[in-house]
Amino acid sequence: MRGLFLIVTASATLLAQEAATLDLKERPISKVIKLLKDMQGELQATLKSETELKEKMDCWCTTNDKEKTEAIAEANRRIDALVAAIGKNSGLKAELGATIKQVEKELAQNTGALDKATEVRKTEASEFNADEKDIVQSIGAMKNAILVLSKHHEFFLQTGAKEVKRAVQSVLHKAAPEHKAILTAFVQGSQAPTNSGSYAPASGQIFGILKQMKEEFESNLAKMQEEEKTGQEDFAGLKSAKLDEIAAGKKMSKEKTQALADAGDALAKAKEDLDLTREALESDTKFLGDLRLRCQKSDKDWEHRAKTRNDEIAAISETIKILSDDDAFDLFSKTAGFIQTHESTKSKTSMMLRASKLLRDMGKKSNNLQLLALSTQVKLDGFVKVKMADRKSTRLNSSHSQ
């Protein structure tokens, strides 16, 4: 009995020494742990990189949202201003068109009035010149007749009759009706001359008529000349006023025409700007809507990715903890002796299966093929350990029986 105990003790000591000499890094579970730690580092680096990208995406979303929101507000303000400008310029254009039409009408009226006044003045001047010339000639003739009568009054019958008759005949058409008959009779010689000087009274009457006519003609001439002077002055004033009105009308017409052209250009530009602004507003509004949807989707995707990454990291951490505990337990079993090996088999199998299931569930959830592969590897390594433990237990039992 004592010998059997020594054999068993020696066998256990040999197995413990064999286990102690095994390199922990060479065991399959240690390789899995190393792979898991490497994967954990990769996931943490990926999470950090994705976090940085998310921060950049958030900055981009915020900046573009702010810019487009301000651009849309500015476009709406500009549209209101352009609509008001279009209404203003449309009204101004209509008003200027009516004003120009009225100015052109008044300009034509003033030009026509000046032309008519100029024609009337020209006719009046021509008539005055003709009348003045005729009256001057008549006055000259009457002066000549009066002069002849005054010189030849005593010898009227012998020397001055013909000359006086010619002078009287030249002004006969200018004589008043009451004088015309006397002068006509004198010219025609219807009153018979006598040696007793019967013409003396007639010559005195003719002298008086001619002198009266001369005075009347001179008065009429002075009146005509005064009227002509007044007519010239009135025409000059009228012409000056009309020319000023015409000049003012032309100036106003030019200014209003330019203003009309400016209003037309402003109206066309406002309409063009309105179309462009509305197009920009439509584009910015569409961009902002797409931006917000895209950024919302990015936020949701990020939440899902971040949760998945954190869940993966947590699952790997938990698995590493499980496997590390299992690895330490495995080493302790090997150093403690064969008696505890059989008793820990179920515990180790449960821990390995738990770790495998944890990796498998997370692999399926995140669609991570690496985690699924590691799950299978952990499960297989667990079965290998169990078989190895069973074989060692069998060998120990056989030695004990011997």
Side-chain angles (χ1 to χ4, degrees):
M1 187 69 178
R2 180 178 176 79
L4 179 60
F5 176 75
L6 292 174
I7 293 173
V8 172
T9 303
S11 298
T13 302
L14 290 174
L15 288 174
Q17 290 176 351
E18 181 183 1
T21 58
L22 290 175
D23 188 356
L24 181 63
K25 293 183 179 179
E26 294 178 354
R27 292 195 297 276
I29 196 63
S30 299
K31 294 180 180 179
V32 172
I33 291 173
K34 184 178 182 302
L35 289 174
L36 287 172
K37 287 182 177 179
D38 290 341
M39 182 180 292
Q40 185 182 43
E42 292 177 359
L43 289 174
Q44 289 173 341
T46 300
L47 179 61
K48 181 180 179 182
S49 176
E50 289 180 345
T51 301
E52 292 174 352
L53 290 175
K54 179 60 172 58
E55 290 174 352
K56 293 180 180 180
M57 184 66 179
D58 289 343
C59 181
W60 182 82
C61 289
T62 301
T63 301
N64 281 273
D65 190 291
K66 181 180 179 181
E67 289 179 353
K68 291 303 178 181
T69 299
E70 291 177 353
I72 289 171
E74 177 61 26
N76 284 321
R77 287 193 295 270
R78 183 166 177 78
I79 287 173
D80 292 339
L82 288 171
V83 170
I86 289 172
K88 177 182 177 181
N89 284 295
S90 296
L92 180 59
K93 190 177 178 182
E95 180 183 349
L96 288 170
T99 301
I100 291 172
K101 187 176 180 180
Q102 181 62 28
V103 169
E104 294 292 342
K105 180 180 178 181
E106 293 175 357
L107 185 61
Q109 290 175 347
N110 288 328
T111 302
L114 179 59
D115 291 342
K116 184 177 180 180
T118 302
E119 188 65 28
V120 170
R121 177 89 283 274
K122 183 179 179 181
T123 301
E124 289 176 348
S126 178
E127 292 176 352
F128 166 77
N129 290 331
D131 291 343
E132 183 184 43
K133 182 180 180 181
D134 185 44
I135 290 177
V136 169
Q137 290 177 351
S138 297
I139 291 173
M142 283 184 283
K143 285 181 178 180
N144 186 48
I146 291 171
L147 181 61
V148 171
L149 282 175
S150 64
K151 289 181 179 182
H152 305 286
H153 183 67
E154 295 179 356
F155 308 101
F156 181 79
L157 295 176
Q158 291 80 11
T159 61
K162 291 182 180 180
E163 188 176 352
V164 173
K165 284 183 179 182
R166 284 196 300 271
V168 172
Q169 189 173 12
S170 66
V171 297
L172 183 61
H173 64 285
K174 299 289 186 179
E178 63 272 18
H179 297 152
K180 186 174 289 188
I182 297 173
L183 295 176
T184 300
F186 169 74
V187 171
Q188 292 176 354
S190 57
Q191 191 173 11
T194 63
N195 293 330
S196 61
S198 58
Y199 264 35
S203 63
Q205 186 179 16
I206 294 302
F207 183 84
I209 292 173
L210 291 176
K211 187 176 181 181
Q212 182 182 354
M213 286 181 63
K214 172 180 170 294
E215 292 175 352
E216 290 177 355
F217 277 33
E218 288 176 344
S219 176
N220 290 338
L221 178 60
K223 184 178 180 180
M224 287 174 55
Q225 289 174 340
E226 185 65 27
E227 289 176 352
E228 174 63 14
K229 181 180 179 182
T230 302
Q232 289 178 354
E233 292 175 350
D234 291 345
F235 173 73
L238 175 64
K239 182 178 181 180
S240 178
K242 289 299 179 183
L243 288 176
D244 289 343
E245 290 178 0
I246 290 171
K250 288 181 177 180
K251 181 180 179 182
M252 180 178 288
S253 178
K254 183 178 180 180
E255 291 174 351
K256 297 299 182 181
T257 300
Q258 182 61 49
L260 178 63
D262 293 341
D265 291 342
L267 179 62
K269 188 176 184 305
K271 288 182 177 180
E272 182 181 0
D273 289 347
L274 180 61
D275 291 339
L276 293 176
T277 304
R278 282 175 172 168
E279 289 178 4
L281 175 62
E282 182 180 359
S283 177
D284 288 342
T285 302
K286 182 179 179 181
F287 179 87
L288 182 60
D290 293 342
L291 172 70
R292 288 176 175 174
L293 289 176
R294 181 178 177 182
C295 292
Q296 289 174 1
K297 186 176 185 302
S298 175
D299 290 340
K300 291 181 180 178
D301 291 345
W302 162 248
E303 291 176 1
H304 176 72
R305 287 197 307 273
K307 186 176 185 303
T308 300
R309 294 289 180 268
N310 287 321
D311 289 346
E312 289 175 343
I313 292 171
I316 290 175
S317 297
E318 181 67 20
T319 304
I320 290 173
K321 181 180 179 181
I322 293 171
L323 295 179
S324 296
D325 291 344
D326 178 65
D327 196 33
F329 186 73
D330 183 51
L331 179 59
F332 174 76
S333 298
K334 290 179 178 181
T335 58
F338 73 93
I339 298 174
Q340 295 179 345
T341 299
H342 181 72
E343 295 176 353
S344 64
T345 299
K346 290 183 178 181
S347 177
K348 289 190 294 182
T349 302
S350 175
M351 293 170 70
M352 298 294 283
L353 290 177
R354 178 185 170 193
S356 175
K357 183 177 184 303
L358 186 62
L359 291 174
R360 184 179 68 253
D361 292 343
M362 181 50 61
K364 288 182 178 180
K365 182 178 180 181
S366 61
N367 197 25
N368 192 321
L369 297 179
Q370 287 180 296
L371 293 179
L372 292 174
L374 285 172
S375 170
T376 303
Q377 186 173 351
V378 169
K379 185 176 181 179
L380 291 175
D381 288 346
F383 282 119
V384 169
K385 283 190 173 188
V386 171
K387 290 180 179 179
M388 289 177 63
D390 287 341
R391 284 198 297 270
K392 290 177 182 179
S393 177
T394 301
R395 287 199 302 269
L396 290 173
N397 291 330
S398 298
S399 300
H400 180 72
S401 296
Q402 292 175 0

